[in-house]
Amino acid sequence: MSASLLLVAAVSLAIAALCRHFGLSAPLVLVAVGLGICWIPGLPDVGLDPEFVLFVILPPLLYSAAQDSSYQEIRANRRAIGLLAVGLPLFSTILVGLVAWARIPHVPLAAALVLGAVVAPPDAVSAQAIGRRVGLPRRIMTLLGGESLLNDATALTALRVALAAAIGATTTVVNGVSMFLLAAVGGVAVGLAIGYLTARVRDWLTDPTMETAIGIMVPFGTYFIAEELHSSGVIAVVTAGLFLGQRSVRLGYATRMQDDAVRRSIDAILEAFVFLLIGLQLPELIRGLSGQSWTQITIDAAIVLAVVIAVRFLWVFPATYLPRVFSRKVRDAEPAPTPSAVFVVGWAGMRGVVSLAAAFSIPLYTDSGEPFPARAEILFLTFVVVVGTLLIQGTTLPWVIRRLGVTGDDPTEELLAYAGAQDRATREAENLLDRIEAEMAPDDVRRHQIGFLRKWVTTQRNTAWEDLGRGPEAIGESPNAAGNRIRLKLVRVQRKVFIEERDAGRIDDEVLRKALRRLDFAEGLTDRDDT
């Protein structure tokens, strides 16, 4: 099995690399490839282990997404995110469960609600990737990102309650609410505690390599500890990620750059892996349905898929506009969303690997020793919902965004804010240089460095304001752009010489690595968009 997983990881990464190169949607291509190759004779079955997904795959992806999120943006949109991340999964669980209960023969209501909870949480990985590529407004991206951080916790808690009822354990609405509150409060507490402890340890170490290594382990340890304490591992990981993401601005530059590079590499591997893994599950699910009526199963799958897609619209439009009708405070605090923007949020409801992992975690037997009712049907219906939403909504989402004319925010506002902040930062830097120069003797040989540094901070200010003006196609190459271009050429020339010196045996690899590291940082200072 381990060799099979390594093969899946290698193949998925290769496909994802090709998709990035050609500008294709990697999640959709990977699912389609998985569906195609799973029937090749002789290939080993690669089953989906729910413990592996929930304890190994999910935590680092959630942690990375939380670190990339803006706490200020999430806080400013907490009402809307709460409705999407808490209200919508519960609404989906109930409505999908009722439809499944009415459609699938011999399925008790509790088992039908298990299906509803399993397919409730959307996976925003592909939606956010598409949104970034087509330039969705920041508020929509914030809503989708905030929803994806917390909806798994809501759905998995609802799944615990539904499973308890389905296998014969005594449960009530009060027990369910208590379980949810305990999971939420406990998850926040665990996440804050681990986040605070991690921040203190990393501050004490001041060792970029070890700081990054500890950061890699944080999501796994946080999830495990929270689950062992019967709280929400998802909420704990998200809380720790948000806390440490806010604290990352205080890290050393080397740690921050290294953290970002490592996280993005891990994300690329895991995201590619899980989407290919989804497509590979079809043969096992079909074998579980042997002897069933495929006509009935196909009809049931189509109905459940349609309900899952429709439920999101039944929630997002009333949840968006009804509070504005009844609350002046909401109208004053939040900009009025357009129907087209709300429709895009409704259409961005693709399901992912968390739903499949949750489905595979359904026990084989109830407490009475009877087989879990309709377990095979629930697994297959979940697979249809996951693949169906990815292929239907995922392939059409870019077209829907363009067709409805939902465009990104005006970049001028962001550039103006950056230029203003850079101007203030430059003035502070110039004041510091004035104080340093005033303390120097008139014949101090270090005075020429003050002049060089003044030019550097002035260039930073000029570059920020140039970004607000007309582009180079209108006014030609700016002085700062020309300086960046020439500096990049100088760096490349020096790098070439150092490599030639190593190849000629005049310096060793250790000297070369030291030289290249310094040149790499120098190249990083260059604005590559201007080269």
Side-chain angles (χ1 to χ4, degrees):
M1 176 60 72
S2 59
S4 300
L5 291 178
L6 287 175
L7 179 61
V8 171
V11 172
S12 63
L13 194 59
I15 295 171
L18 290 174
C19 290
R20 288 171 68 96
H21 181 76
F22 291 106
L24 303 174
S25 176
L28 307 180
V29 174
L30 285 162
V31 170
V33 170
L35 290 172
I37 66 176
C38 66
W39 299 107
I40 297 178
L43 284 183
D45 288 342
V46 183
L48 191 151
D49 183 353
E51 296 293 320
F52 178 76
V53 172
L54 295 177
F55 281 86
V56 178
I57 301 294
L58 184 61
L61 290 177
L62 285 172
Y63 181 72
S64 180
Q67 288 213 306
D68 285 339
S69 300
S70 167
Y71 171 75
Q72 286 84 357
E73 293 286 339
I74 291 177
R75 183 178 179 182
N77 294 279
R78 59 187 179 275
R79 185 194 62 82
I81 290 174
L83 288 171
L84 286 173
V86 179
L88 178 54
L90 296 177
F91 182 66
S92 299
T93 297
I94 294 171
L95 203 55
V96 173
L98 290 175
V99 171
W101 180 49
R103 283 293 315 171
I104 304 176
H106 312 300
V107 175
L109 178 58
L113 290 174
V114 167
L115 172 63
V118 162
V119 300
D123 179 8
V125 171
S126 51
Q128 288 183 297
I130 293 170
R132 283 190 294 268
R133 192 166 69 244
V134 301
L136 278 178
R138 178 178 297 176
R139 186 164 190 265
I140 293 181
M141 295 296 291
T142 298
L143 294 179
L144 294 177
E147 175 192 13
S148 69
L149 291 177
L150 299 171
N151 61 10
D152 291 337
T154 304
L156 292 176
T157 304
L159 177 61
R160 290 180 185 177
V161 177
L163 278 176
I167 64 177
T170 302
T171 185
T172 65
V173 174
V174 174
N175 289 340
V177 172
S178 301
M179 184 183 297
F180 180 81
L181 292 176
L182 176 63
V185 174
V188 170
V190 170
L192 286 175
I194 293 180
Y196 177 78
L197 179 62
T198 302
R200 293 299 299 271
V201 170
R202 295 177 85 179
D203 290 343
W204 175 74
L205 281 173
T206 64
D207 181 342
T209 301
M210 291 307 301
E211 289 177 53
T212 299
I214 291 172
I216 292 173
M217 296 305 299
V218 165
F220 304 106
T222 302
Y223 191 93
F224 176 79
I225 292 171
E227 290 295 318
E228 286 295 302
L229 295 175
H230 304 290
S231 56
S232 171
V234 171
I235 292 179
V237 170
V238 168
T239 302
L242 286 172
F243 181 87
L244 291 171
Q246 289 293 108
R247 295 266 309 183
S248 66
V249 296
R250 298 179 176 86
L251 296 173
Y253 76 98
T255 302
R256 193 161 50 248
M257 294 174 64
Q258 190 167 260
D259 273 4
D260 187 65
V262 170
R263 281 196 299 107
R264 295 190 187 283
S265 297
I266 293 175
D267 288 352
I269 295 172
L270 296 181
E271 289 171 5
F273 177 81
V274 296
F275 284 110
L276 185 61
L277 191 64
I278 287 172
L280 294 173
Q281 303 311 304
L282 185 57
E284 179 182 349
L285 298 176
I286 289 179
R287 284 195 295 269
L289 293 172
S290 59
Q292 302 283 346
S293 168
W294 277 103
T295 301
Q296 183 65 42
I297 292 173
T298 302
I299 295 173
D300 292 342
I303 291 174
V304 171
L305 175 60
V307 171
V308 168
I309 294 174
V311 162
R312 190 170 173 88
F313 289 100
L314 292 176
W315 179 266
V316 295
F317 274 96
T320 300
Y321 291 111
L322 287 181
R324 300 186 64 82
V325 172
F326 295 109
S327 173
R328 181 177 179 179
K329 183 178 179 181
V330 172
R331 293 195 298 271
D332 293 340
E334 299 177 6
T338 63
S340 57
V342 178
F343 188 91
V344 167
V345 172
W347 194 245
M350 292 84 81
R351 269 55 177 178
V353 71
V354 172
S355 290
L356 274 180
F360 276 95
S361 70
I362 298 173
L364 295 174
Y365 300 98
T366 65
D367 287 349
S368 63
E370 297 291 326
F372 192 95
R375 184 179 185 273
E377 288 88 342
I378 292 174
L379 263 64
F380 182 77
L381 292 174
T382 302
F383 179 84
V384 170
V385 168
V386 171
V387 175
T389 53
L390 282 172
L391 296 182
I392 295 173
Q393 294 177 294
T395 56
T396 58
L397 183 58
W399 176 85
V400 168
I401 292 170
R402 289 191 296 267
R403 185 72 178 83
L404 295 178
V406 180
T407 57
D409 302 311
D410 183 2
T412 303
E413 294 183 10
E414 184 175 318
L415 290 173
L416 185 61
Y418 170 73
Q422 179 63 67
D423 191 67
R424 292 188 293 273
T426 300
R427 287 199 301 271
E428 286 295 317
E430 289 172 338
N431 291 336
L432 176 60
L433 288 173
D434 289 340
R435 294 193 296 271
I436 294 173
E437 187 175 24
E439 297 171 358
M440 290 181 176
D443 58 347
D444 195 318
V445 295
R446 296 172 296 175
R447 279 185 173 274
H448 76 281
Q449 289 292 334
I450 298 296
F452 170 76
L453 293 171
R454 285 189 190 280
K455 292 180 181 179
W456 177 60
V457 296
T458 300
T459 296
Q460 289 180 302
R461 174 167 52 197
N462 292 343
T463 300
W465 288 110
E466 283 174 4
D467 289 341
L468 281 165
R470 291 175 294 169
E473 67 280 356
I475 62 174
E477 187 178 38
S478 69
N480 288 323
N484 281 342
R485 177 174 55 80
I486 295 171
R487 179 168 59 181
L488 183 58
K489 288 184 177 180
L490 295 175
V491 168
R492 288 172 176 171
V493 165
Q494 293 183 76
R495 184 183 288 122
K496 179 175 178 290
V497 171
F498 276 110
I499 294 173
E500 290 173 349
E501 289 290 293
R502 191 277 310 270
D503 293 343
R506 288 185 283 270
I507 62 174
D508 60 20
D509 283 312
E510 189 62 31
V511 174
L512 175 64
R513 280 191 286 268
K514 181 177 180 179
L516 292 185
R517 181 174 178 81
R518 292 180 175 178
L519 291 174
D520 288 344
F521 279 119
E523 184 175 354
L525 293 174
T526 303
D527 186 354
R528 302 301 297 271
D529 292 334
D530 291 336
T531 59

